[in-house]
Every structure is written in structure tokens, then in C-alpha cells.
Amino acid sequence: MGSATPHPSLVPRDLFAAWWRILSGRVPMLSIEITRECPLSCPGCYAYGEMHLGGEVTLRELHDLRGDALVEGVLELVRKHRPIHVSLVGGEPLVRHRELSRILPALGESGVFTLVVTSAVIPIPVEWMNIPRLRVAVSVDGLPEDHDIRRKPATYERILKNIEGRQVNIHWVITRPMLARPGYMEEYVSFWSTRPEVNRIWVSVYTPQVGEQSAEMLTSDERQTIARELPSLHKQYPKLLITEGMARAFVHPPSNPGDCLFSKMSANYSADLQSRVEPCVFGGSPDCSQCGCAISSALHWIRTIKLAGPVKIDHFVGGSIGVGLLVNRLRHSIRPSRWYSGAAKPKPKANLVQIRPSSEKALTEPKGNALHTASTRGAGGL
């Protein structure tokens, strides 16, 4: 185990770095589906939907990587985009735990904040807890009566065993059946708040695709109930990461991908490390009017915060994107289409964020064979 002290939270200088990325014509976040494999078959899983990657191919059909090719491929994407934050999702990322045990230290040593989102169906390597700037989030969808059916074999019993002695965040996606019993939300938050392994509890609301009709979807009244009750639970259970502004965003989410700050700020790749997931991490045609993404809601709330007088963060970001577009055109002659409201999906070979000029420093290469010089997908800061 290494001697580095973990530092999983973003600090003001990191937010400044994100702003600088925007000004220089790049997005500050990167999401990578590092494998197509997953032992779970969760209802409503967007990653395995037929339209997740646009309809021509599905995640199951992609040629994913492993071994040196995966390690080098992920680090090459990070070198190219130079984000301050990387989310590693799947599939089930821990299927590639050996490769991750090489990738994660390299990212941490290079100053990149990393989030690994897992079902914890496989034990989380305890040595990961010493990796700087790393956060592991475990998806737990409801109390055992619901979760164990939805996410078998990643049952409560297995999760509690596989996170013992680790530090994790819990990510909860609320679906309609969970609201049928009074007191359900408090029972969930209370249980995970008492666990010593848990740092934070994040909440999302099930986000459907356009035209979807399913038992998972919440009604408008149910979203109002969540927006009213969750901030109250936060006061009683501080580990629950929710504000009144974030809760309001569940009721009034971004109207479209062009209005979503998270969609604009993240470049998303699938398991072949080439296919792009658009217009956001959900892929396909997400129903933005019913978006419940925790990060999208947080950023949608943050953008309304006033900096000075009538000037909001949204105005500041919009101006920065304008500068970034100009810089990007001057340097690369390719426009990041995600920065245009209502923009169409980019062509397959059109990179939204281009390789940096040679004058900028490359990503610090780790010691050993984690990255060779000639080498060819949710916020850890929360």
C-alpha cells in the first residue's frame, strides 16, 4: 500500500482549473465506460439500451479492451482531454479491477480526481483507499426488499461484505415503487448514515428515455414530495448530500442537453474507447423534462447562484464558453458541438475536445509499466 494521503475532494484551485479548461476550449470532465461486461441485469439500466450509443451498435456488441491495451487506452484519453475529473463506469468497472489498480494510481499521482461507480458485486481492493483523489461510489437502489431483487447478485449482504474496511459513497436512484411506503426514504438514509464505511449519500431520480412508459418513472407530484422531504432529511442526516436547490432541480430540471451544464462539461466514451456517448452519460434520447441525475441537478442549481449583483454563475460560464469556442476555433478549427444549445450529435470522428498544443505539459507518466511512452465512461469532489 502506498504512502500517499487520499484527497478525494475538489478545492477552490481545482475549480479554477476547470474554468481554465473551459477558457482554453476544453471540457473539464471525462466519463469512460471501461467495460461492456456486467454480471447484473438491472431493470431500467440505460447503458444496455438499444439506443444508448445511437442505435447502430449496443454496449454489449462493442469490442472492449483489457490488460495493457485498456490501461494505456484510458490514460491516452486522459492525456488527450486533460480533464480535472474522470468518472469510470460500465458495465461493472470492478470486472477490470486488475487494470484499475494500475490506472487509478496513475491518475491520482497526476492530479486527476477520479470516481469509480460500482455495484460492489466484487470486493473493492482495500489498497485503493490509499490512492489520492479517488472516490468509490456504490449503487444501492433502495432497501433490501427492492434492491436485492433489482440488483441481484449485488445484494445487501454482498455489498456490506465487500465494502467492509473501505470508505465509499452510496448512490441511490429513487424509483416510483420506493415511494409507496411512508417513511421509506428516511429508513434508507438512516441505515446508510450509520455505516462507518459511508462518507456521503447521493440521490438521483430515475431518468427515462423519451417516450418511455415504465413502473420506474415518478409522477410530478412524487417529484414534489422528494424535493420537499430530502432537504429535511439532510438536516437530520448530514451524510445525505442534498440542498434545497438540488432538490428543486428534480422538479425543474434542464429543459434540454443544451441547457444542461453537466452535458456541456463532460466528454463521454464507451467501452471501445472510441464510441461517444451522447448527448450526456445516459446516451440515447434521455427525457430531460424528467431528468433526475444527481450531478446534473447539482450543476443546474449551482448555475443559478449569484456572484455579484444580478450576475449568476450561469452568466460567467456562458461567457467562458464563448471564449473557449473562439480559442478552440483558432487552435483546432473544430467546434465543440456540445457547447451549442440544441446542437446535433457530433459525427463519429469529430472530437469535441482536441489534443493539446505541444507546448502544454503531458500527463505525468507513472513509474513502472502502467503507461508506455509509445502507447497508442455520475463528482469525486462531492
Side-chain angles (χ1 to χ4, degrees):
M1 296 172 65
S3 59
T5 301
H7 176 47
S9 298
L10 293 170
V11 295
R13 67 174 178 271
D14 302 309
L15 299 179
F16 177 81
W19 171 63
W20 185 252
R21 294 290 191 281
I22 299 171
L23 287 176
S24 61
R26 300 177 178 85
V27 292
M29 292 185 283
L30 180 65
S31 175
I32 305 172
E33 297 171 339
I34 68 166
T35 178
R36 66 180 182 178
E37 297 183 31
C38 182
L40 282 62
S41 298
C42 306
C45 178
Y46 63 84
Y48 293 108
E50 291 184 1
M51 300 302 296
H52 177 61
L53 297 176
E56 295 183 3
V57 66
T58 67
L59 177 58
R60 293 283 190 196
E61 296 169 336
L62 284 185
H63 172 69
D64 60 358
L65 308 177
R66 61 190 68 196
D68 289 345
L70 177 58
V71 173
E72 295 159 5
V74 168
L75 295 179
E76 173 64 17
L77 279 180
V78 174
R79 280 204 306 271
K80 180 170 75 171
H81 289 275
R82 296 190 59 80
I84 66 166
H85 189 283
V86 175
S87 295
L88 300 176
V89 297
E92 169 50 65
L94 283 176
V95 169
R96 300 285 180 260
H97 64 89
R98 293 180 181 84
E99 290 89 343
L100 283 173
S101 290
R102 296 166 58 191
I103 293 170
L104 297 176
L107 296 181
E109 291 170 9
S110 301
V112 177
F113 291 84
T114 308
L115 172 68
V116 177
V117 182
T118 175
S119 66
V121 69
I122 297 168
I124 298 168
V126 68
E127 60 269 20
W128 287 9
M129 298 300 103
N130 277 347
I131 297 175
R133 303 173 185 84
L134 171 66
R135 178 75 75 194
V136 178
V138 178
S139 298
V140 184
D141 291 346
L143 293 166
E145 62 202 64
D146 294 305
H147 172 91
D148 287 1
I149 296 173
R150 290 174 57 83
R151 300 184 70 87
K152 186 178 180 180
T155 60
Y156 259 61
E157 180 181 6
R158 196 161 184 169
I159 289 172
L160 292 174
K161 178 181 178 181
N162 289 342
I163 69 172
E164 185 176 0
R166 283 72 164 171
Q167 290 289 299
V168 301
N169 285 355
I170 297 297
H171 180 231
W172 173 28
V173 177
I174 298 178
T175 60
R176 190 175 188 184
M178 299 176 193
L179 302 179
R181 176 163 64 81
Y184 189 105
M185 290 194 292
E186 181 172 2
E187 186 176 342
Y188 178 97
V189 175
S190 174
F191 177 87
W192 288 107
S193 290
T194 61
R195 299 297 308 184
E197 303 93 343
V198 175
N199 288 307
R200 297 282 193 178
I201 302 168
W202 304 342
V203 182
S204 293
V205 173
Y206 181 76
T207 301
Q209 293 282 304
V210 172
E212 178 181 339
Q213 296 296 324
S214 69
E216 314 282 303
M217 299 165 57
L218 274 64
T219 66
S220 297
D221 287 344
E222 288 165 339
R223 284 174 174 261
Q224 293 279 2
T225 298
I226 288 173
R228 182 175 60 253
E229 295 185 6
L230 286 180
S232 298
L233 287 176
H234 165 71
K235 296 176 183 177
Q236 187 175 355
Y237 304 98
K239 287 185 179 181
L240 176 62
L241 190 62
I242 192 79
T243 67
E244 291 186 2
M246 293 168 63
R248 284 196 303 271
F250 288 146
V251 180
H252 302 290
S255 58
N256 56 64
D259 188 42
C260 177
L261 194 56
F262 182 38
S263 177
K264 290 181 178 181
M265 295 296 101
S266 179
N268 317 306
Y269 285 83
S270 196
D272 59 358
L273 305 186
Q274 297 180 14
S275 300
R276 303 296 284 265
V277 183
E278 298 290 353
C280 65
V281 293
F282 288 114
S285 300
D287 187 346
C288 295
S289 69
Q290 300 187 68
C291 180
C293 170
I295 302 177
S296 175
S297 298
L299 292 178
H300 197 56
W301 159 65
I302 287 172
R303 68 189 298 177
T304 66
I305 296 175
K306 293 184 178 181
L307 293 173
V311 179
K312 300 177 181 178
I313 287 180
D314 193 30
H315 299 127
F316 178 74
V317 172
S320 299
I321 286 177
V323 174
L325 283 170
L326 177 60
V327 172
N328 192 280
R329 290 173 64 183
L330 292 174
R331 286 181 174 178
H332 315 297
S333 301
I334 295 179
R335 303 179 183 182
S337 59
R338 69 188 339 101
W339 285 357
Y340 288 87
S341 179
K345 294 181 180 180
K347 296 178 182 179
K349 293 185 180 300
N351 289 327
L352 300 180
V353 184
Q354 300 302 305
I355 300 175
R356 67 196 183 285
S358 59
S359 60
E360 293 185 21
K361 287 186 176 181
L363 178 70
T364 302
E365 294 188 6
K367 297 177 180 179
N369 62 356
L371 177 65
H372 298 292
T373 303
S375 67
T376 54
R377 148 197 310 49
L382 300 181

